[in-house]
Each structure stands twice: as structure tokens, then as C-alpha cells.
Amino acid sequence: MKPIISPSILSANFSNLAHDIEMLNRSEADWLHIDIMDGVFVPNISFGFPVLKHVAKLAQKPLDVHLMIVQPEKFIPEIKALGTEIMNVHYETCPHLHRVVQQIREAGMKPAVTINPATPVLLLQDIVREVDMVLVMGVNPGFGGQKFIENTVEKVRQLRELIARTGSKALIEVDGGVNLETGARLMEAGADALVAGNAVFSAPNPEEVIHALKNL
Ligand code: DX5
Ligand code: ZN
């Protein structure tokens, strides 16, 4: 199976976002990955709804929205209003994760749960059947362009086993430090979807990198 490719616009040119979104629309990218940060859960702030409204209007691919914020359930209506397909919330920010997952589904979106590098895969045992996707972080969230944490490959293997054992239908997405080299190993370990920011946008020809990732 070819990987689902979800380029992260965190590494796009913010002074000409429309140009980069049009490039993604033309490319073989499957989804658009949108990173929302609050400066509380993660040590950085990215963009908010006034900017994302315009991004959503231009984007012709399903939105894969990654919320690196505390109390993400507060923003379910705003995220839905963007036309979001997949809403990713962090395991670490949701003490009532089961409820949040239900709320996301009731709002008409696909719920996904994200785990930080230090969060064990096994903690997902009782939620993995309820979500459409698990997003495994390959870096500590907050910034693009960081070095891939090697243990992520092993976590993808463990998650693939957990999904098989529990009969879950969840997809496995990996975010952070993904490039052609790490992407190939993640696919071999059982990933379904790859997020890539820096690898795409720092390349002289981003569409070519998307094509290469798509054909890993
Ligand atoms: C990190 C974000 C990622 C980031 C990935 O906190 O969640 O989506 O944009 O960037 P790269 O691919 O550059 O590691
Ligand atoms: Zn992300």
C-alpha cells in the first residue's frame, strides 16, 4: 500500500501561504496537515482561526488538523467549521479522552489520538478501537525541522500489533522528522500515513519530494 502523505504547512512560507497551498493542491499529497499550538502544551504558538479560515478556503485536500493545545474539546465547533476531516488531539491533554473522542465523532469528524515520544503505545489499549487514527510523534511537538527520534520506529511496530490484537481499524500516522529515509523505515514498520514539513518545504522542488514520499 502506498503511504498517505500529509504535508505540514507549518514549514510553508507564511508570507505567501496561498502559493504553497496551491502547490499542495497540484501535488500528490493526500491530506493537508495543520498544526495548531497554544504556547502552553507546547513551547510555541503557530496560527489561529483567522489565518486557518483562509487556508481552509484555498485547500482542496482533506484537512488533518493536529491540536497541540490544552482542552482541545473547547474548539470542536471551530475545527469543524474549517471543514476538517480528521481532528487529532493529544493523549497527554485529555484526561477524559473517551468523551472527547465521542464529541469529535458527534461533530461529524474523524477522531484521532496523538502520543508524544515518551507516551507508551500500550496506554492506547482501551481507546484504540474508538479512533480512526493514531498519530505517533517522531519528535517532541512544537517545532518543525527537528531530528527524528529513533524509538518511533519501534513504537509503530508495537502499535501495529496492538491494532491487530484489538481488531481496531485505526490508521497509523507518524509526524516529526519524516523524510525519505525515516519514511521508508516507518512504512516497513507498519505506518499508513506520513506527515512531512521540513522535508517537503526546504526542498528545491517540494512536489518532487511529495512524489518520492508517495512512492516509498
Ligand atoms: C511538530 C508538528 C509537525 C511538524 C513536522 O510539532 O506537529 O507536524 O510540522 O515537521 P517536520 O516534518 O519538519 O519534522
Ligand atoms: Zn503535526
Side-chain angles (χ1 to χ4, degrees):
M1 275 282 283
K2 285 192 174 188
I4 294 164
I5 304 299
S6 191
S8 165
I9 61 163
L10 188 64
S11 296
N13 178 0
F14 285 8
S15 68
N16 197 350
L17 264 178
H19 171 270
D20 283 354
I21 293 164
E22 281 155 16
M23 179 278 290
L24 295 176
N25 286 342
R26 280 193 312 269
S27 78
E28 289 172 63
D30 298 279
W31 300 339
L32 241 73
H33 186 84
I34 296 184
D35 290 302
I36 305 183
M37 304 178 185
D38 66 356
V40 178
F41 175 57
V42 291
N44 196 10
I45 295 175
S46 52
F47 26 57
F49 296 109
V51 172
L52 291 177
K53 259 198 330 223
H54 296 284
V55 169
K57 231 181 270 167
L58 292 168
Q60 292 166 2
K61 313 249 175 174
L63 303 182
D64 168 33
V65 179
H66 176 194
L67 287 141
M68 288 161 272
I69 67 172
V70 298
Q71 300 184 317
E73 66 277 8
K74 272 197 197 163
F75 294 98
I76 288 174
E78 285 84 351
I79 301 293
K80 173 66 185 167
L82 293 175
T84 298
E85 175 144 328
I86 306 161
M87 177 167 165
N88 299 275
V89 298
H90 269 261
Y91 177 90
E92 300 84 6
T93 61
C94 296
H96 303 290
L97 181 59
H98 189 275
R99 177 184 296 147
V100 176
V101 163
Q102 283 175 321
Q103 288 172 330
I104 294 171
R105 206 179 282 293
E106 276 161 20
M109 295 178 284
K110 294 178 177 164
V113 59
T114 307
I115 50 171
N116 272 342
T119 303
V121 163
L122 265 184
L123 289 175
L124 300 176
Q125 175 152 311
D126 294 323
I127 197 70
V128 75
R129 273 183 306 261
E130 313 294 328
V131 294
D132 286 48
M133 190 166 81
V134 175
L135 173 51
V136 180
M137 292 306 301
V139 300
N140 287 295
F143 302 91
Q146 300 182 78
K147 191 178 174 315
F148 182 70
I149 297 171
E150 278 302 321
N151 185 48
T152 313
V153 179
E154 178 53 28
K155 287 177 82 174
V156 169
R157 252 186 218 114
Q158 291 170 4
L159 181 57
R160 183 45 69 207
E161 270 172 35
L162 178 69
I163 286 172
R165 177 157 62 77
T166 55
S168 160
K169 296 200 170 51
L171 295 175
I172 301 177
E173 183 174 49
V174 183
D175 180 14
V178 173
N179 54 35
L180 289 171
E181 187 271 319
T182 57
R185 289 190 287 127
L186 290 163
M187 289 306 293
E188 194 266 323
D192 299 293
L194 302 173
V195 175
N198 191 57
V200 168
F201 287 100
S202 70
N205 188 338
E207 278 189 71
E208 246 170 50
V209 176
I210 293 169
H211 173 78
L213 285 166
K214 188 71 198 165
N215 287 287
L216 274 178

